[in-house]
Amino acid sequence: LVARGYQSGLALEVNPEGPGILLKNLAGHALPTADPERAYRIDAFLQDRDRNIVATDSLRIGQRWDWGDPTKEIPPRRLADERLSPGESRWWYPTLSADNAVYLVVEATHVRLQEDYLAGMAATQLDAPLLALWPEAATLLPQISELYPRATRVYHEEISLETGARRVDRNPVMAVPRSEK
């Protein structure tokens, strides 16, 4: 994705004294966009001196769908839409508390495909007309978890709660998504 020019339209500003995180949509469209299962996961966690996680909180920004059941003629329907509108800024106040916390870490991950959808896609039985058009699909689909980029970390910031020193990484790197809840 990065090699093809992907850049996130999401910007973050972290206020460790708040603590609050300002999420800003810099894109000219809702974030995230495209496939409805795409989401942003914002993770905030506290670490002790040895970098052990001692408290964590997460926010999911995206749509939520009930995909229905075509065998019972139940159509898909959108349950919620928590995306950021074009130009929107929104504060998130993670619930974090730990007496031995030394570092605050904030990460944003662009999730392209959730784990449960990935498993369903890998188990899909392809019909003969599709296989006639694309015979390789039968061997590629079971490998989807290795071939499809499921998530990209788009932001990582570490803040020392003792000194206030900050380290921000805005260079996207591939990330293994934590479970979506």
Side-chain angles (χ1 to χ4, degrees), residues 5 14 34 49 56 64-65 91 93 95 122 125 127 130 134 148 155 181:
V14 180
R49 194 165 308 287
T56 186
R64 296 188 189 275
W65 284 77
W91 281 97
Y93 301 96
T95 305
Q125 296 296 314
D127 59 15
L130 178 59
W134 189 25
Y148 190 83
Y155 184 89
K181 294 184 180 168

Short mmCIF file of all heavy atoms in Angstrom, two decimals, residues 5 14 34 49 56 64-65 91 93 95 122 125 127 130 134 148 155 181:
data_model
loop_
_atom_site.label_atom_id
_atom_site.label_comp_id
_atom_site.label_asym_id
_atom_site.label_seq_id
_atom_site.Cartn_x
_atom_site.Cartn_y
_atom_site.Cartn_z
N GLY A 5 1.59 4.53 -2.83
CA GLY A 5 1.26 5.91 -2.52
C GLY A 5 0.22 6.11 -1.45
O GLY A 5 -0.25 7.22 -1.24
N VAL A 14 -1.96 14.38 20.43
CA VAL A 14 -2.07 13.76 21.74
C VAL A 14 -1.75 14.79 22.82
O VAL A 14 -0.72 15.45 22.77
CB VAL A 14 -1.11 12.56 21.86
CG1 VAL A 14 -1.23 11.91 23.24
CG2 VAL A 14 -1.40 11.54 20.76
N ALA A 34 -14.36 3.52 1.38
CA ALA A 34 -14.26 2.31 0.55
C ALA A 34 -15.04 1.18 1.20
O ALA A 34 -16.18 1.39 1.61
CB ALA A 34 -12.82 1.94 0.26
N ARG A 49 8.08 1.13 33.66
CA ARG A 49 9.47 1.38 33.32
C ARG A 49 10.09 0.29 32.44
O ARG A 49 10.94 0.54 31.61
CB ARG A 49 10.28 1.55 34.61
CG ARG A 49 11.65 2.14 34.40
CD ARG A 49 12.29 2.63 35.68
NE ARG A 49 11.49 3.53 36.49
CZ ARG A 49 11.22 4.82 36.18
NH1 ARG A 49 11.68 5.34 35.08
NH2 ARG A 49 10.50 5.56 36.99
N THR A 56 -4.85 -0.15 29.18
CA THR A 56 -5.09 0.02 27.75
C THR A 56 -6.55 0.41 27.49
O THR A 56 -7.44 0.08 28.26
CB THR A 56 -4.73 -1.27 26.96
OG1 THR A 56 -4.84 -1.02 25.57
CG2 THR A 56 -5.61 -2.42 27.35
N ARG A 64 -20.52 -0.23 11.23
CA ARG A 64 -20.84 -1.57 11.73
C ARG A 64 -22.03 -2.09 10.94
O ARG A 64 -23.01 -1.37 10.76
CB ARG A 64 -21.16 -1.53 13.22
CG ARG A 64 -19.98 -1.08 14.05
CD ARG A 64 -20.26 -1.23 15.54
NE ARG A 64 -19.20 -0.61 16.31
CZ ARG A 64 -18.06 -1.21 16.64
NH1 ARG A 64 -17.85 -2.44 16.27
NH2 ARG A 64 -17.15 -0.58 17.35
N TRP A 65 -21.89 -3.32 10.46
CA TRP A 65 -22.90 -3.91 9.59
C TRP A 65 -23.36 -5.26 10.11
O TRP A 65 -22.61 -6.01 10.71
CB TRP A 65 -22.30 -4.13 8.19
CG TRP A 65 -22.19 -2.87 7.40
CD1 TRP A 65 -21.24 -1.90 7.54
CD2 TRP A 65 -23.05 -2.44 6.35
NE1 TRP A 65 -21.46 -0.89 6.65
CE2 TRP A 65 -22.56 -1.20 5.89
CE3 TRP A 65 -24.18 -2.99 5.75
CZ2 TRP A 65 -23.16 -0.50 4.87
CZ3 TRP A 65 -24.77 -2.28 4.72
CH2 TRP A 65 -24.26 -1.05 4.30
N TRP A 91 -12.66 14.69 19.67
CA TRP A 91 -11.83 14.33 20.82
C TRP A 91 -12.19 12.94 21.30
O TRP A 91 -13.36 12.56 21.33
CB TRP A 91 -12.02 15.32 21.97
CG TRP A 91 -11.28 16.59 21.78
CD1 TRP A 91 -11.79 17.77 21.29
CD2 TRP A 91 -9.91 16.84 22.07
NE1 TRP A 91 -10.81 18.73 21.26
CE2 TRP A 91 -9.63 18.17 21.74
CE3 TRP A 91 -8.87 16.06 22.57
CZ2 TRP A 91 -8.38 18.74 21.90
CZ3 TRP A 91 -7.63 16.63 22.74
CH2 TRP A 91 -7.39 17.95 22.41
N TYR A 93 -11.24 10.57 24.75
CA TYR A 93 -10.63 10.58 26.07
C TYR A 93 -10.50 9.14 26.56
O TYR A 93 -11.45 8.59 27.14
CB TYR A 93 -11.46 11.42 27.05
CG TYR A 93 -11.60 12.84 26.59
CD1 TYR A 93 -12.73 13.26 25.88
CD2 TYR A 93 -10.59 13.77 26.83
CE1 TYR A 93 -12.86 14.56 25.44
CE2 TYR A 93 -10.71 15.08 26.39
CZ TYR A 93 -11.83 15.47 25.70
OH TYR A 93 -11.95 16.76 25.25
N THR A 95 -9.78 5.92 28.76
CA THR A 95 -9.85 5.65 30.18
C THR A 95 -8.61 4.83 30.55
O THR A 95 -8.55 3.64 30.28
CB THR A 95 -11.13 4.87 30.53
OG1 THR A 95 -12.25 5.62 30.05
CG2 THR A 95 -11.25 4.66 32.02
N ALA A 122 -11.70 -16.80 3.19
CA ALA A 122 -10.82 -17.94 2.93
C ALA A 122 -11.62 -19.22 2.75
O ALA A 122 -11.21 -20.12 2.01
CB ALA A 122 -9.81 -18.10 4.06
N GLN A 125 -16.51 -20.97 -1.13
CA GLN A 125 -16.46 -21.93 -2.22
C GLN A 125 -16.74 -21.18 -3.52
O GLN A 125 -17.80 -20.56 -3.66
CB GLN A 125 -17.50 -23.04 -2.02
CG GLN A 125 -17.25 -23.89 -0.79
CD GLN A 125 -15.94 -24.65 -0.89
OE1 GLN A 125 -15.62 -25.25 -1.90
NE2 GLN A 125 -15.15 -24.59 0.17
N ASP A 127 -17.61 -20.65 -7.47
CA ASP A 127 -18.41 -21.39 -8.44
C ASP A 127 -17.65 -21.52 -9.77
O ASP A 127 -16.66 -20.83 -10.03
CB ASP A 127 -19.78 -20.75 -8.63
CG ASP A 127 -19.71 -19.30 -9.11
OD1 ASP A 127 -18.64 -18.86 -9.58
OD2 ASP A 127 -20.74 -18.62 -9.02
N LEU A 130 -16.87 -18.38 -12.14
CA LEU A 130 -15.77 -17.54 -11.67
C LEU A 130 -14.43 -18.25 -11.90
O LEU A 130 -13.47 -17.63 -12.37
CB LEU A 130 -15.94 -17.20 -10.18
CG LEU A 130 -14.81 -16.37 -9.58
CD1 LEU A 130 -14.67 -15.03 -10.31
CD2 LEU A 130 -15.05 -16.13 -8.11
N TRP A 134 -11.05 -17.03 -13.80
CA TRP A 134 -9.82 -16.84 -13.03
C TRP A 134 -9.46 -18.14 -12.30
O TRP A 134 -9.72 -18.29 -11.11
CB TRP A 134 -10.02 -15.70 -12.05
CG TRP A 134 -8.79 -15.25 -11.34
CD1 TRP A 134 -7.49 -15.38 -11.74
CD2 TRP A 134 -8.74 -14.60 -10.07
NE1 TRP A 134 -6.64 -14.84 -10.82
CE2 TRP A 134 -7.40 -14.35 -9.77
CE3 TRP A 134 -9.71 -14.20 -9.16
CZ2 TRP A 134 -6.98 -13.73 -8.62
CZ3 TRP A 134 -9.29 -13.57 -8.00
CH2 TRP A 134 -7.95 -13.33 -7.74
N TYR A 148 -3.26 -10.70 1.49
CA TYR A 148 -4.03 -9.45 1.54
C TYR A 148 -3.53 -8.58 2.69
O TYR A 148 -3.44 -9.05 3.83
CB TYR A 148 -5.51 -9.76 1.74
CG TYR A 148 -6.41 -8.56 1.57
CD1 TYR A 148 -6.81 -8.15 0.31
CD2 TYR A 148 -6.85 -7.84 2.67
CE1 TYR A 148 -7.64 -7.05 0.15
CE2 TYR A 148 -7.68 -6.74 2.52
CZ TYR A 148 -8.06 -6.36 1.25
OH TYR A 148 -8.87 -5.27 1.10
N TYR A 155 0.18 5.66 12.59
CA TYR A 155 0.64 6.63 13.58
C TYR A 155 1.11 5.89 14.81
O TYR A 155 0.48 4.92 15.26
CB TYR A 155 -0.50 7.58 13.95
CG TYR A 155 -0.13 8.69 14.90
CD1 TYR A 155 0.36 9.90 14.42
CD2 TYR A 155 -0.25 8.53 16.27
CE1 TYR A 155 0.70 10.93 15.29
CE2 TYR A 155 0.08 9.55 17.14
CZ TYR A 155 0.56 10.74 16.64
OH TYR A 155 0.90 11.76 17.50
N LYS A 181 -13.05 -5.52 18.85
CA LYS A 181 -14.11 -5.79 19.83
C LYS A 181 -15.21 -4.79 19.67
O LYS A 181 -15.05 -3.72 19.22
CB LYS A 181 -13.56 -5.74 21.24
CG LYS A 181 -12.59 -6.86 21.47
CD LYS A 181 -12.11 -6.89 22.89
CE LYS A 181 -11.14 -8.05 23.05
NZ LYS A 181 -10.43 -8.05 24.23
#
